[in-house]
Amino acid sequence: MRKRRGAGRPTIADVADRAGVSTITVSRALRDPAKVSEALRERIDAAVRKLDYVPHSHASALASSRSNIVGVIVPSLTNNVFADTLRAIYDELEQGPLQVQLGNSRYVAAEEERLIRIFLSQRPAALIVAGGDQTKAARALLEKADCPVVQIMEVDPDPIDMMVGFSHFEGGRAAGLHLLQRGYRRIGFIGARMDPRSRRRMEGFAEALRSSGRYDSELFMTTTRSSSTSLGAELIGALREKRPDIEAVFCNNDDMALGVLFGCQHARLRVPEDLGIIGFNDLEMMAAACPSLTSIRTNRYGIGKTAVDMISARLDGEGPESCVVDLGFQLQERQSTARRA
């Protein structure tokens, strides 16, 4: 048990000391008792009564040498894919002692490394970092970090500390198998930005086509430009000009898939009869499109929630049940691939 700080008004850290738990557990128990076990509630309630603790709205979140900051580094603040994950992180930490501090690496590895150094200099309570492709220097920094670290949005058997996400390779492979099962033969890929996660989707997709003897490199078109609906329309036009016999296309994200749909409508192509389309992430617009668009659905909110749960368990001294949590994905089939096999 840590020594109580000061002889004045008892703090949440004093309650945590007496109950033998972390301050975030005390905060959670006081704010929403249903979120902790009955045994923990009884220990915390006993500590509260013994210390005559009264919650203070301006009390420090963590009465320790650490800050109350959970650093979150993502590659984009405008990409809708990360919005659901960030919303979950904020929802889980809302009104608790921990505060979110965001960093935007803009898909630049050196910037991510710089942000990691800045956050670690602030002695954060924990760090959440998107992806598993940090530079050698960034990985070394995170491995030495004296706080919980959660990598999100993908899974790998060798995480820095903890990881929650899904397999982009298997997601891409599922997209390829789906198009093959629907009877498409000349199948292509359209991708923008092509960050490591997008590349893994493309590799899984290509593997599915190769296993069926349907892989054709001429039907793959990628660019390092930022993804957008207008770019999707542009690239499907360029791909069809080169290969007018293309029958279906997998896009590395939903923005691109929606753009491909617009491009088909502009060219008066029927979807799915003339061209099948499948996207990735299953954003809201995919179901609202006309025709509706097939996509690989990912549990982005669940990723953010699980990341906070893993951090909470580590701060409680319990440790997560698993250091790598695979939340999987689901193929959401809609009209854009619904032609008869």
Side-chain angles (χ1 to χ4, degrees):
M1 182 181 294
R2 294 185 301 271
K3 183 179 180 180
R4 179 178 166 182
R5 292 170 173 80
R9 177 175 177 164
T11 68
I12 192 171
D14 297 326
V15 176
D17 282 344
R18 193 167 197 89
V21 298
S22 72
T23 53
I24 194 172
T25 299
V26 174
S27 177
R28 187 185 302 118
L30 296 177
R31 185 178 71 252
D32 190 352
K35 285 190 174 182
V36 301
S37 68
E38 183 177 353
L40 273 180
R41 285 201 306 271
E42 290 176 355
R43 283 163 54 192
I44 292 169
D45 287 345
V48 168
R49 291 193 299 271
K50 183 69 175 179
L51 296 172
D52 292 327
Y53 171 70
V54 177
H56 193 297
S57 60
H58 300 293
S60 172
L62 296 173
S64 71
S65 60
R66 298 212 156 272
S67 71
N68 67 339
I69 295 298
V70 174
V72 180
I73 302 174
V74 294
S76 174
L77 297 180
T78 58
N79 190 330
N80 288 331
V81 169
F82 297 102
D84 288 335
T85 301
L86 291 174
R87 179 165 58 88
I89 292 171
Y90 277 102
D91 285 350
E92 289 300 299
L93 296 178
E94 186 179 23
Q95 297 180 7
L98 300 178
Q99 300 294 319
V100 176
Q101 182 170 318
L102 283 177
N104 178 12
S105 68
R106 305 192 303 279
Y107 291 97
V108 178
E111 177 64 10
E112 180 183 59
E113 182 182 324
R114 187 183 74 87
L115 290 170
I116 290 171
R117 291 183 186 277
I118 291 174
F119 281 161
L120 289 177
S121 71
Q122 299 171 351
R123 296 189 57 78
L127 281 179
I128 297 175
V129 184
D133 294 276
Q134 287 74 34
T135 65
K136 183 177 180 179
R139 186 177 180 91
L141 287 169
L142 293 172
E143 287 174 344
K144 296 175 183 177
D146 187 22
C147 68
V149 175
V150 184
Q151 294 163 284
I152 61 171
M153 307 308 290
E154 55 187 318
V155 292
D156 187 278
D158 184 29
I160 291 172
D161 182 9
M162 299 176 286
M163 180 175 277
V164 54
F166 57 92
S167 171
H168 292 261
F169 181 92
E170 290 300 328
R173 184 171 178 273
L177 292 175
H178 173 69
L179 292 176
L180 290 166
Q181 290 164 0
R182 300 313 299 165
Y184 294 103
R185 296 172 299 167
R186 289 177 289 277
I187 303 171
F189 175 86
I190 287 180
R193 178 81 70 179
M194 298 311 295
D195 60 88
R197 288 172 290 284
S198 289
R199 290 199 298 271
R200 281 190 273 278
R201 295 170 200 171
M202 182 180 69
E203 290 163 2
F205 180 69
E207 174 61 27
L209 300 187
R210 286 192 184 96
S211 67
S212 304
R214 296 292 181 187
Y215 175 75
D216 185 343
S217 61
E218 287 189 353
L219 295 176
F220 279 52
M221 181 169 285
T222 64
T223 176
T224 57
R225 294 160 60 187
S226 299
S227 64
S228 66
T229 53
S230 60
L231 181 59
E234 176 188 330
L235 292 187
I236 190 58
L239 186 54
R240 287 194 68 254
E241 184 176 344
K242 182 174 70 170
R243 288 291 299 270
D245 60 337
I246 189 170
E247 298 179 4
V249 64
F250 169 47
C251 300
N252 73 315
N253 62 43
D254 290 341
D255 291 343
M256 298 293 287
L258 188 64
V260 168
L261 174 62
F262 291 161
C264 289
Q265 291 171 341
H266 181 76
R268 299 188 182 278
L269 293 175
R270 299 171 302 165
V271 175
E273 294 83 4
D274 297 327
L275 190 79
I277 305 171
I278 180 169
F280 200 99
N281 282 311
D282 199 31
L283 300 178
E284 182 182 9
M285 62 191 180
M286 303 301 274
C290 185
S292 57
L293 292 167
T294 298
S295 188
I296 302 295
R297 176 176 294 177
T298 57
N299 189 358
R300 300 175 301 281
Y301 189 92
I303 288 172
K305 182 181 185 304
T306 303
V308 174
D309 289 343
M310 296 172 92
I311 288 170
S312 298
R314 180 64 61 78
L315 292 176
D316 288 343
E318 300 170 1
E321 293 183 4
S322 174
C323 288
V324 179
V325 178
D326 188 346
L327 295 184
F329 57 84
Q330 297 82 40
L331 190 144
Q332 187 64 47
E333 183 176 3
R334 297 194 179 92
Q335 295 169 331
S336 66
T337 59
R339 81 170 190 177
R340 292 185 178 182

